[in-house]
Amino acid sequence: MQRLLAVTILAAIMITVLADSQTYAWNGLQLQQLKTTKKCPGCDLSDADLSSAQLGSADLSAANLKNANLSNANLSNANLYRADLTSATLINANLSFSYFGSAFLLMANLTGATITSINFTGADLSGVTWVDGTKCSWASYGKCEKR
């Protein structure tokens, strides 16, 4: 009887721990740091929902933004040097005057994004869905080479 009680208690503890654990890859403290200071170089924000976030002039250099949702976000004047935006969603985002030098945007979606005076020097744009909905070809570096 005591053994059954111990197993039941252990099972309840495990269920509680598993239910409370986050299934997100992003770091909650770093997400709060970004929202508070707009500075988060090297942060892990993969899979984060940053839709409609006001991140103008933010420093996200070398940040991990894989699969992040940045739809309708304001990233004007942001520093995204060497940031990883692989498969990120940037639909209707304001990217004006931002720096994406050497960033990874493989398979990202930029449909409807504002890209006035943006710097993509050395950025990997392979497979990106461009602002007009067309796809960039593979081996698109620094600019979107249309298929």
Side-chain angles (χ1 to χ4, degrees):
M1 184 69 167
Q2 288 181 346
R3 186 174 183 163
L4 179 60
L5 180 61
V7 170
T8 304
I9 292 171
L10 181 59
I13 290 171
M14 289 178 64
I15 289 170
T16 303
V17 169
L18 290 174
D20 286 342
S21 67
Q22 289 184 340
T23 57
Y24 304 105
W26 48 266
N27 181 309
L29 293 175
Q30 291 177 343
L31 181 61
Q32 187 59 41
Q33 173 187 334
L34 173 63
K35 289 180 177 181
T36 304
T37 68
K38 293 188 181 180
K39 292 178 180 16
C40 208
C43 287
D44 182 0
L45 300 169
S46 56
D47 297 308
D49 183 1
L50 296 165
S51 56
S52 300
Q54 296 302 309
L55 300 173
S57 300
D59 181 3
L60 288 162
S61 54
N64 179 358
L65 292 158
K66 286 181 183 176
N67 300 308
N69 181 0
L70 292 153
S71 296
N72 300 303
N74 177 14
L75 286 161
S76 60
N77 296 299
N79 179 6
L80 290 135
Y81 173 71
R82 295 187 53 88
D84 189 346
L85 291 118
T86 300
S87 298
T89 303
L90 295 124
I91 296 171
N92 297 320
N94 181 1
L95 308 176
S96 298
F97 304 100
S98 292
Y99 182 58
F100 284 85
S102 299
F104 301 94
L105 288 106
L106 287 81
M107 303 299 293
N109 188 341
L110 276 61
T111 304
T114 305
I115 58 169
T116 307
S117 298
I118 197 165
N119 186 334
F120 283 120
T121 303
D124 189 345
L125 301 168
S126 300
V128 167
T129 303
W130 199 242
V131 296
D132 61 2
T134 60
K135 287 278 193 179
C136 300
S137 66
W138 293 102
S140 286
Y141 297 96
K143 68 177 185 173
C144 179
E145 300 289 345
K146 301 292 177 89
R147 290 183 178 184

